[in-house]
Amino acid sequence: MIKWIQQLFSSRKTENNTAGIKPEVHEHKKNNIKSVSNKYLIVGLGNIGAEYVNTRHNIGFKIVDFLAKKEGVSFETVKLGTLAQYKFKGRTFLLLKPNTYMNLSGKAVHYWMEKEKIPLENVLIIADDLNLSFGSIRIRPKGSDGGHNGLKNVNLVLNTQNYARFRFGISDEFKKGKQVDYVLGDWDDAEKTALPERLELASEIIKSFGTAGLENTMTAYNGK
């Protein structure tokens, strides 16, 4: 009888000692959690095809192309686009150029978010903006599409406007009725001369987004 009572108290003592111990997280689960939080999807919006390569509307493509070339990584053809992977300070940046054409950009964004398990707060969409002077930078945590068809489709497919967007100004120096020609036109000589410095700045913004966070990036770069 005494032996049974001793065993009972011994069992309760063991339970009490383990009550405050957290469940063990296996190493593969730790790695999965870490990889998700340190992975970022950077989407440059644009249109595929040689005729669009140097157009104002394709500045999103141009920015991610610049970063990839600078860091020595290459784009590979994947589902719904081309993709380059770049690692910096423990973060993985997936640089995506959708091949769906501008008006269906959201399909590619959604697919790669789901495939790579990237949370919405780790997504940055890069687009041109007619309402900003050439080369001006505006980074926001959310907002309307502003008349941009690529952003409009992203909003529709993701069913939210609450994602980070990086707008690059292309100005509105066009005559009445010539907006489409202007947006799908080539940069003028002065813009071509100024672009390298602006592209360098844009590549810094992308890296800052992943390492310093959105708020710090907005403070450091908006208006530059």
Side-chain angles (χ1 to χ4, degrees):
M1 181 70 173
I2 294 174
K3 185 177 181 180
W4 178 81
I5 292 174
Q6 289 174 334
Q7 289 176 339
L8 177 62
F9 278 97
S10 175
S11 174
R12 287 180 178 177
K13 184 177 180 182
T14 300
E15 289 175 3
N16 289 336
N17 288 341
T18 60
I21 299 176
K22 294 180 180 179
E24 179 182 356
V25 178
H26 294 292
E27 192 61 34
H28 75 278
K29 291 184 178 179
K30 289 181 181 177
N31 290 339
N32 285 343
I33 293 169
K34 184 177 180 181
S35 66
V36 168
S37 62
N38 286 339
K39 191 178 288 187
Y40 296 82
L41 182 63
I42 312 299
V43 185
L45 298 186
N47 286 310
I48 59 171
E51 66 271 33
Y52 297 112
V53 170
N54 291 312
T55 62
R56 295 180 177 88
H57 211 29
N58 267 38
I59 188 61
F61 278 15
K62 202 169 191 68
I63 288 172
V64 293
D65 278 338
F66 180 88
L67 178 58
K69 184 176 181 179
K70 178 181 177 181
E71 302 301 337
V73 296
S74 301
F75 282 90
E76 296 182 2
T77 300
V78 294
K79 185 172 181 179
L80 300 178
T82 57
L83 192 72
Q85 184 170 283
Y86 164 58
K87 294 189 176 182
F88 178 69
K89 291 188 176 181
R91 278 76 166 177
T92 297
F93 294 82
L94 298 178
L95 310 178
L96 175 66
K97 296 189 294 182
N99 66 4
T100 54
Y101 285 102
M102 188 70 81
N103 294 1
L104 297 175
S105 299
K107 186 176 181 181
V109 175
H110 181 262
Y111 175 82
W112 284 99
M113 284 179 65
E114 292 291 309
K115 180 175 175 57
E116 296 293 332
K117 297 180 174 60
I118 298 176
L120 188 62
E121 60 267 24
N122 284 16
V123 176
L124 178 66
I125 310 292
I126 307 171
D128 58 296
D129 194 324
L130 281 166
N131 298 312
L132 298 176
S133 60
F134 168 77
S136 295
I137 302 298
R138 181 174 292 170
I139 307 157
R140 292 287 186 270
K142 59 183 179 179
S144 68
D145 57 68
H148 192 285
N149 288 331
L151 293 176
K152 187 179 297 184
N153 190 250
V154 173
N155 291 353
L156 178 66
V157 175
L158 299 187
N159 194 31
T160 183
Q161 298 180 356
N162 299 329
Y163 57 85
R165 70 279 311 282
F166 166 9
R167 294 177 181 269
F168 186 100
I170 62 172
S171 78
D172 59 356
E173 300 296 321
F174 56 87
K175 295 179 181 179
K176 186 176 180 180
K178 296 294 183 179
Q179 178 174 325
V180 173
D181 292 338
Y182 177 80
V183 169
L184 296 180
D186 197 358
W187 306 96
D188 64 30
D189 290 341
E191 291 168 339
K192 288 177 182 177
T193 300
L195 263 177
E197 183 272 334
R198 294 283 91 189
L199 293 174
E200 184 68 45
L201 182 66
S203 68
E204 292 177 12
I205 289 170
I206 291 171
K207 290 186 281 188
S208 176
F209 172 71
T211 56
L214 178 59
E215 292 295 330
N216 289 330
T217 301
M218 289 193 298
T219 299
Y221 292 99
N222 271 336
K224 283 194 172 182

